[in-house]
Amino acid sequence: RCVAPVSAAVSRVAGPVPEDPAIVSFPVHRPRRLRRSPAVRRLVAQTRLHPADLVLPVFVREGIAEPVPISSMPGVVQHTLDSLVAEAERAVAAGLGGLMVFGVPEAKDGRGSGADDPGGILNVALTRLAEAVGDRIVVMADLCLDEFTDHGHCGVLDHSGAVDNDATLERYAAMALAQAAAGAEVLGLSGMMDGQVGHVRAALDAAGFTDTLILAYAAKYTSGLYGPFREAVQSSLVGDRATYQQDPTNATEAIREIELDVAEGADIIMVKPGQPHLDIIAAAAEISPVPVAAYQISGEYSQIVAAADNGWIDRERVATESLIHLRRAGAQIILSYFALELAERW
Ligand code: PBG
């Protein structure tokens, strides 16, 4: 981060106070000079967006012949394998840094069998992408069970119906090996189980996948803003994820989660959702020895799109602002459904 604390900035600009009353009646300091023209504003801009810092989340659905629009996320679709590869080529041409791939399987079950099946839709898609574009863009895989379980939770359930942390770790390890074998370069651990980073790292290393990166959704908060995503992956979740995702009332706990994930071997840590948690992104950027990412989630996207579609706000302008805010708070990498459309205009 390149922003000095405000107190330091103030002490630097406070110069001698002129004594002549004729002078003091007008401002001595004129910060507006730095805003006077587009060229000056561009010169002094402290925060810039670059396509290489952006990651586009994409959905691939099993058993469809044409892309299927997601009604709660206008402009976003569930891809076929072929349309996914075409979208990936567009992302490469626009210079995006990465793709985060989510799979939507035809059949779901209690243990999320499709997740670690090499023939499962996500793993097949990862192989297609790795072959088509893997040398030109970072292919990332969502590593979580919720798209694959019939109950919609991010883990397997115990006999009482609660999410079983340690049994879930075994499923994540199997999923990690399948995704790494399929060709994913980065695994996005988004399930918020305790110990998931260490467990998956150990499994990857034991199988020889020592070069596979882990992007840890370290501080992932429970939120109503995930709503549109649940439609995107046709989730059957009843209830919420409050026993594993963080409570929005807490900040300190995010630091603990980040420190644990870094200690367990995370290569990149992420804060999610983005704009509601700018304080957490700033804190993460302050303490993290590894790159910090932020995820502008489905509901953040859809709020902007809905207002823009009503003519109430300007889509491109507000989308750009929203990413600037994440970047200024300290996010080096940004996941956003706007990534491709914005990068194609820059
Ligand atoms: C878990 C996962 C979710 C998202 C990313 N990874 C769903 C959830 O936590 O409920 C949400 C992304 C979004 O809302 O855009 N597989």
Coordinates of all heavy atoms in Angstrom, one line a residue, residues 241-288:
R241 N -24.8 -20.3 6.6 CA -23.5 -20.9 6.8 C -22.8 -20.3 8.1 O -21.6 -20.2 8.2 CB -22.5 -20.6 5.6 CG -23.1 -21.0 4.3 CD -22.0 -21.1 3.2 NE -22.5 -21.2 1.9 CZ -23.1 -22.3 1.3 NH1 -23.3 -23.4 2.1 NH2 -23.5 -22.3 0.1
A242 N -23.7 -19.8 9.0 CA -23.2 -19.1 10.1 C -22.3 -19.8 11.1 O -21.6 -19.3 11.9 CB -24.4 -18.4 10.9
T243 N -22.3 -21.2 11.0 CA -21.4 -21.9 11.9 C -20.0 -22.1 11.4 O -19.1 -22.6 12.1 CB -22.0 -23.4 12.2 OG1 -21.9 -24.2 11.1 CG2 -23.4 -23.3 12.8
Y244 N -19.8 -21.7 10.1 CA -18.4 -21.7 9.6 C -18.0 -20.4 9.0 O -16.8 -20.1 9.1 CB -18.2 -22.9 8.7 CG -19.3 -23.3 7.7 CD1 -19.1 -23.0 6.3 CD2 -20.4 -24.0 8.0 CE1 -20.1 -23.3 5.4 CE2 -21.4 -24.3 7.1 CZ -21.2 -24.0 5.8 OH -22.2 -24.3 4.9
Q245 N -18.8 -19.6 8.4 CA -18.4 -18.3 7.9 C -18.4 -17.3 9.0 O -19.2 -17.4 9.9 CB -19.3 -17.9 6.7 CG -19.1 -18.8 5.5 CD -20.0 -18.4 4.3 OE1 -20.9 -17.6 4.4 NE2 -19.7 -19.0 3.2
Q246 N -17.6 -16.3 8.9 CA -17.5 -15.4 10.1 C -18.7 -14.5 10.2 O -19.4 -14.2 9.3 CB -16.2 -14.5 9.8 CG -14.9 -15.2 10.1 CD -13.8 -14.3 9.7 OE1 -12.9 -14.6 8.9 NE2 -13.7 -13.1 10.3
D247 N -18.9 -14.1 11.5 CA -20.0 -13.2 11.8 C -19.6 -11.7 11.5 O -18.5 -11.3 11.9 CB -20.3 -13.3 13.3 CG -21.6 -12.7 13.6 OD1 -21.7 -11.4 13.5 OD2 -22.5 -13.4 14.0
P248 N -20.4 -11.0 10.7 CA -20.0 -9.6 10.3 C -19.8 -8.7 11.5 O -19.3 -7.6 11.3 CB -21.2 -9.2 9.5 CG -22.0 -10.4 9.2 CD -21.7 -11.4 10.2
T249 N -20.2 -9.1 12.7 CA -20.0 -8.2 13.8 C -18.5 -8.2 14.3 O -18.1 -7.3 15.1 CB -20.8 -8.6 15.1 OG1 -20.5 -9.9 15.4 CG2 -22.3 -8.5 14.7
N250 N -17.7 -9.1 13.8 CA -16.4 -9.3 14.3 C -15.3 -8.9 13.4 O -15.3 -9.2 12.2 CB -16.1 -10.8 14.7 CG -17.1 -11.2 15.8 OD1 -17.4 -10.4 16.7 ND2 -17.5 -12.5 15.8
A251 N -14.3 -8.2 13.9 CA -13.1 -7.8 13.1 C -11.8 -8.5 13.6 O -11.1 -9.1 12.8 CB -12.9 -6.3 13.2
T252 N -11.6 -8.6 14.9 CA -10.4 -9.2 15.4 C -10.2 -10.7 15.0 O -9.1 -11.1 14.7 CB -10.4 -9.2 17.0 OG1 -10.8 -7.9 17.4 CG2 -9.1 -9.5 17.5
E253 N -11.4 -11.4 14.9 CA -11.4 -12.8 14.5 C -10.8 -12.9 13.1 O -10.2 -14.0 12.7 CB -12.8 -13.2 14.6 CG -13.2 -14.4 13.8 CD -14.7 -14.8 14.0 OE1 -15.6 -14.0 13.6 OE2 -14.9 -15.8 14.7
A254 N -10.9 -11.9 12.2 CA -10.4 -12.0 10.9 C -8.9 -12.0 10.9 O -8.3 -12.8 10.1 CB -10.9 -10.8 10.0
I255 N -8.3 -11.3 11.8 CA -6.8 -11.3 12.0 C -6.4 -12.7 12.4 O -5.4 -13.2 11.8 CB -6.4 -10.3 13.0 CG1 -6.9 -8.9 12.7 CG2 -4.9 -10.3 13.2 CD1 -6.5 -8.4 11.4
R256 N -7.1 -13.3 13.3 CA -6.7 -14.7 13.7 C -6.8 -15.7 12.5 O -5.9 -16.5 12.3 CB -7.7 -15.1 14.8 CG -7.4 -16.5 15.4 CD -8.4 -16.8 16.5 NE -8.0 -18.0 17.2 CZ -8.8 -18.8 17.8 NH1 -10.1 -18.5 17.9 NH2 -8.4 -19.9 18.4
E257 N -7.9 -15.6 11.8 CA -8.1 -16.4 10.6 C -6.9 -16.3 9.6 O -6.4 -17.2 9.0 CB -9.4 -16.2 9.9 CG -10.6 -16.6 10.7 CD -10.9 -18.2 10.6 OE1 -10.1 -18.9 10.0 OE2 -11.9 -18.6 11.1
I258 N -6.6 -15.0 9.4 CA -5.5 -14.7 8.4 C -4.2 -15.3 8.9 O -3.4 -15.9 8.1 CB -5.4 -13.2 8.2 CG1 -6.6 -12.7 7.4 CG2 -4.1 -12.8 7.4 CD1 -6.8 -11.2 7.4
E259 N -3.9 -15.0 10.2 CA -2.6 -15.5 10.7 C -2.5 -17.0 10.7 O -1.5 -17.6 10.3 CB -2.4 -15.0 12.1 CG -2.1 -13.5 12.2 CD -2.0 -12.9 13.6 OE1 -2.4 -13.6 14.5 OE2 -1.5 -11.8 13.6
L260 N -3.6 -17.7 10.9 CA -3.7 -19.2 10.9 C -3.4 -19.6 9.5 O -2.6 -20.6 9.2 CB -5.0 -19.7 11.4 CG -5.2 -19.7 12.9 CD1 -6.6 -20.0 13.3 CD2 -4.2 -20.7 13.6
D261 N -4.1 -19.0 8.5 CA -4.0 -19.5 7.1 C -2.5 -19.3 6.6 O -2.0 -20.1 5.9 CB -5.0 -18.8 6.2 CG -6.4 -19.4 6.3 OD1 -6.5 -20.4 7.1 OD2 -7.3 -19.0 5.7
V262 N -2.0 -18.1 7.0 CA -0.6 -17.9 6.5 C 0.4 -18.9 7.2 O 1.2 -19.5 6.5 CB -0.2 -16.4 6.9 CG1 1.3 -16.2 6.7 CG2 -0.9 -15.4 6.1
A263 N 0.1 -19.2 8.5 CA 1.0 -20.1 9.2 C 0.8 -21.5 8.6 O 1.8 -22.3 8.5 CB 0.7 -20.2 10.6
E264 N -0.4 -21.8 8.1 CA -0.6 -23.2 7.5 C -0.1 -23.3 6.0 O -0.2 -24.3 5.4 CB -2.1 -23.5 7.5 CG -2.6 -23.8 9.0 CD -4.1 -24.0 9.0 OE1 -4.7 -24.4 8.0 OE2 -4.7 -23.7 10.1
G265 N 0.3 -22.2 5.5 CA 1.0 -22.2 4.2 C 0.2 -21.6 3.0 O 0.5 -21.9 1.9
A266 N -0.7 -20.7 3.3 CA -1.5 -20.0 2.3 C -0.5 -19.2 1.4 O 0.4 -18.5 2.0 CB -2.6 -19.1 2.8
D267 N -0.7 -19.2 0.1 CA 0.2 -18.4 -0.8 C -0.4 -17.0 -1.0 O 0.3 -16.1 -1.3 CB 0.4 -19.1 -2.1 CG 1.1 -20.5 -1.9 OD1 2.3 -20.5 -1.6 OD2 0.4 -21.5 -2.0
I268 N -1.7 -16.9 -1.0 CA -2.5 -15.7 -1.1 C -3.6 -15.8 -0.1 O -4.2 -16.9 0.1 CB -3.1 -15.6 -2.6 CG1 -1.9 -15.6 -3.6 CG2 -3.9 -14.3 -2.7 CD1 -2.4 -15.7 -5.1
I269 N -4.0 -14.7 0.5 CA -5.1 -14.7 1.4 C -6.2 -13.8 0.8 O -5.9 -12.8 0.1 CB -4.8 -14.3 2.9 CG1 -4.2 -13.0 2.9 CG2 -4.0 -15.4 3.5 CD1 -4.8 -12.1 3.9
M270 N -7.5 -14.1 1.1 CA -8.5 -13.3 0.6 C -9.5 -12.8 1.7 O -9.8 -13.6 2.6 CB -9.3 -14.1 -0.5 CG -10.3 -13.2 -1.2 SD -10.4 -13.7 -2.9 CE -11.3 -15.2 -2.8
V271 N -10.1 -11.6 1.4 CA -11.2 -11.1 2.3 C -12.4 -11.1 1.4 O -12.4 -10.7 0.2 CB -10.9 -9.7 2.8 CG1 -12.1 -9.2 3.5 CG2 -9.6 -9.7 3.6
K272 N -13.6 -11.5 2.0 CA -14.8 -11.6 1.2 C -16.0 -11.6 2.1 O -16.0 -12.1 3.1 CB -14.7 -13.0 0.5 CG -15.9 -13.4 -0.3 CD -15.7 -14.8 -0.9 CE -16.9 -15.2 -1.6 NZ -16.9 -16.6 -2.0
P273 N -17.1 -10.9 1.7 CA -17.3 -10.0 0.5 C -16.3 -8.8 0.6 O -15.6 -8.7 1.6 CB -18.7 -9.5 0.7 CG -19.4 -10.4 1.6 CD -18.3 -11.0 2.5
G274 N -16.2 -8.0 -0.4 CA -15.2 -6.9 -0.5 C -15.6 -5.6 0.1 O -15.2 -5.3 1.2
Q275 N -16.5 -4.9 -0.6 CA -16.8 -3.5 -0.1 C -17.4 -3.4 1.3 O -17.1 -2.4 2.0 CB -17.8 -2.9 -1.1 CG -17.5 -1.4 -1.2 CD -18.1 -0.7 -2.5 OE1 -18.8 -1.4 -3.3 NE2 -17.7 0.5 -2.7
P276 N -18.2 -4.4 1.8 CA -18.6 -4.3 3.2 C -17.5 -4.4 4.2 O -17.7 -4.1 5.3 CB -19.6 -5.4 3.3 CG -20.0 -5.8 1.9 CD -18.8 -5.6 1.1
H277 N -16.3 -4.9 3.7 CA -15.3 -5.2 4.7 C -13.9 -4.5 4.4 O -12.9 -5.1 4.5 CB -15.1 -6.7 4.8 CG -16.3 -7.4 5.2 ND1 -16.9 -7.3 6.4 CD2 -17.2 -8.3 4.5 CE1 -18.0 -8.0 6.4 NE2 -18.2 -8.6 5.3
L278 N -14.0 -3.2 4.0 CA -12.8 -2.5 3.6 C -11.9 -2.4 4.8 O -10.7 -2.3 4.6 CB -13.2 -1.1 3.1 CG -14.0 -1.1 1.8 CD1 -14.3 0.4 1.4 CD2 -13.3 -1.7 0.6
D279 N -12.5 -2.3 6.0 CA -11.6 -2.2 7.2 C -10.8 -3.5 7.3 O -9.6 -3.4 7.7 CB -12.4 -2.0 8.5 CG -13.5 -3.0 8.7 OD1 -14.0 -3.7 7.7 OD2 -13.9 -3.3 9.8
I280 N -11.4 -4.6 7.0 CA -10.7 -5.9 7.2 C -9.6 -6.0 6.1 O -8.5 -6.5 6.3 CB -11.7 -7.1 7.1 CG1 -12.8 -6.9 8.1 CG2 -10.9 -8.4 7.2 CD1 -12.3 -6.9 9.5
I281 N -9.9 -5.5 4.9 CA -8.9 -5.6 3.8 C -7.7 -4.7 4.2 O -6.6 -5.1 4.0 CB -9.5 -5.0 2.4 CG1 -10.6 -6.0 2.0 CG2 -8.5 -4.9 1.4 CD1 -11.4 -5.4 0.8
A282 N -8.0 -3.5 4.7 CA -6.9 -2.6 5.1 C -6.1 -3.3 6.2 O -4.8 -3.2 6.2 CB -7.4 -1.3 5.6
A283 N -6.7 -3.9 7.2 CA -6.0 -4.6 8.3 C -5.1 -5.8 7.7 O -4.0 -6.0 8.1 CB -6.9 -5.1 9.3
A284 N -5.7 -6.5 6.8 CA -5.0 -7.6 6.1 C -3.8 -7.2 5.4 O -2.7 -7.8 5.5 CB -6.0 -8.4 5.2
A285 N -4.0 -6.1 4.6 CA -2.8 -5.5 3.9 C -1.7 -5.1 4.8 O -0.5 -5.2 4.5 CB -3.3 -4.4 3.0
E286 N -2.1 -4.6 6.0 CA -1.1 -4.2 7.0 C -0.3 -5.4 7.5 O 0.9 -5.2 7.7 CB -1.9 -3.6 8.1 CG -1.3 -2.4 8.8 CD -1.0 -1.2 7.9 OE1 -1.9 -0.5 7.5 OE2 0.2 -1.0 7.6
I287 N -0.9 -6.5 7.8 CA -0.2 -7.6 8.5 C 0.2 -8.7 7.6 O 1.1 -9.5 8.0 CB -1.1 -8.2 9.6 CG1 -2.4 -8.8 9.0 CG2 -1.4 -7.1 10.7 CD1 -3.1 -9.8 10.0
S288 N -0.4 -8.9 6.4 CA -0.1 -10.1 5.7 C 1.2 -10.1 4.9 O 1.5 -9.2 4.2 CB -1.2 -10.3 4.6 OG -0.9 -11.5 3.9

